[in-house]
Amino acid sequence: MNIWELLTSDKTLDFIKEALVRKMDALQVSTRLNKDGYSNEERAVIMDYMALVPKFREKFFAESERKEKFLLCDKLALEQSTAQDIGRWKANLWPGEGSVNDLCCGMGGDSFFLPANLKVTGIDLDENRLAMYRYNQQAFDKTVDTRCADVREVARGNDSNGNQGTDFFTIDPARRALEGENQRDLRNLTPTLEEVVEISKHYKGGMAKLPPGYPPAEIPDGTEIIYIGGHSDCRECLVLFGELAQNPDTVRAVIVNKTGKALAQWSRKRDRSTETLDDDLQEKLDKNDSLEGKDRTYRTATSKSDLPLGELGKYLSEPAPVLIRSHLFNAAALANDANARLISEGIAYVTSENPLPAPGFSCYEVLAHVEIATGAVRAMLKEHDVGKITLKLRGVKLDPDAEIKRLKPKGKKSAILFYTRACGEKVAILARKL
């Protein structure tokens, strides 16, 4: 019995359902599996899989659907797959009919929410991934074809006019060499972006899912670029080709909710002058990017920003990651306050005299600020009766947990404490979230 037959057998699934309902711990699960005659290897496979069940149920299914749903996956396939919120939103980008090749299909996340009238074929070089794909599409009541083939060869055999071949493609190039290990070189994709561009020439249109930090200067003209995420993350840089690029040479930022509805979106015409940094600014941003802390500066935070530098004002705002990645936070800020400005070069904190609105910004009212020195910060906290702080770091290197212990706040109120830079100097900013 292979791994997939083991996991999808009635005996195994019945046990998993029982174990989840009874909330068995690892020892109870292992003991029961041993009693039921599973080998050591089989027990390990089942227990690893059981750890993924609540994760894929949350990632792909509405809460009302989760209880009985099972998919086939491993940890790496699950991590790389597109979640339901983004998948549901992306479904609106497709035409109502036609055919689609899901290239590098993996466990199938990019096909789960495709419009029902599209004829879909999953293509991958890994037979295990194709087994996952076929099983998982059935869980979504979909009928699909699969092919074990090199996606580049499949593309070359396709008619770009769609008369004899497939109309559209979607592709999620592999980004991780080892399970759980993010590749540091964002260009190290399989297939490469250059190969994806060549693939696109053999279809009417398509979409490619890139890491959000992928260098935008390398994305070709004539495409539409969309940065997608939730309130606090940017998870995809989606590149649309051909007929799917309804707004070519445009950059969009989209924030979606859990059901895939767009809460807010912004757009601008593409400007290649903002996509290449001069050497001095790149060096500064590279240095900031290497700093430790729970909230590091984004490498692409302020390249060629339209916002000037200025003094700290009444409000301090954090742009949503999709706005930072898309370089749209400057226009979004100015639309709400003509005097909005950065507090320091290379750090995506915007200060203003008017509050900047959600969901594009997390806005804080500034209560006070001092230099970063233990005595000065302690005095500021005491003056404002603050005893519980959340410490946010950008552009300052230290251990936040150790710093909170060192400050020993003792007041009755809660507040946000920013350790960052203002006009290049280290500063502690005490603020209240609006």
Side-chain angles (χ1 to χ4, degrees), residues 77-139:
L78 179 60
E79 289 176 347
Q80 289 185 335
S81 289
T82 301
Q84 62 172 315
D85 53 352
I86 292 179
R88 293 181 190 279
W89 183 84
K90 290 197 301 187
N92 299 310
L93 302 175
W94 293 95
E97 58 184 20
S99 53
V100 179
N101 279 347
D102 186 347
L103 306 176
C104 306
C105 63
M107 67 174 289
D110 286 307
S111 291
F112 292 161
F113 305 102
L114 289 179
N117 289 336
L118 290 176
K119 183 178 184 298
V120 183
T121 301
I123 301 170
D124 206 295
L125 273 174
D126 189 334
E127 285 284 9
N128 283 327
R129 291 288 191 266
L130 291 174
M132 293 180 189
Y133 186 86
R134 287 188 292 268
Y135 183 89
N136 295 341
Q137 297 305 320
Q138 293 176 3

Side-chain angles (χ1 to χ4, degrees), residues 85-86 89-90 92-93 224-236 238 240 251-257 260-267 320-326 328 359-360:
D85 53 352
I86 292 179
W89 183 84
K90 290 197 301 187
N92 299 310
L93 302 175
E224 183 175 358
I225 305 171
I226 308 177
Y227 292 87
I228 316 170
H231 291 89
S232 59
D233 57 31
C234 179
R235 278 175 276 154
E236 285 191 22
L238 187 68
L240 304 183
V251 178
R252 274 198 278 169
V254 182
I255 294 177
V256 298
N257 67 8
K261 179 182 178 181
L263 297 178
Q265 53 184 307
W266 303 261
S267 66
V322 294
L323 284 178
I324 296 174
R325 290 296 192 187
S326 63
L328 273 158

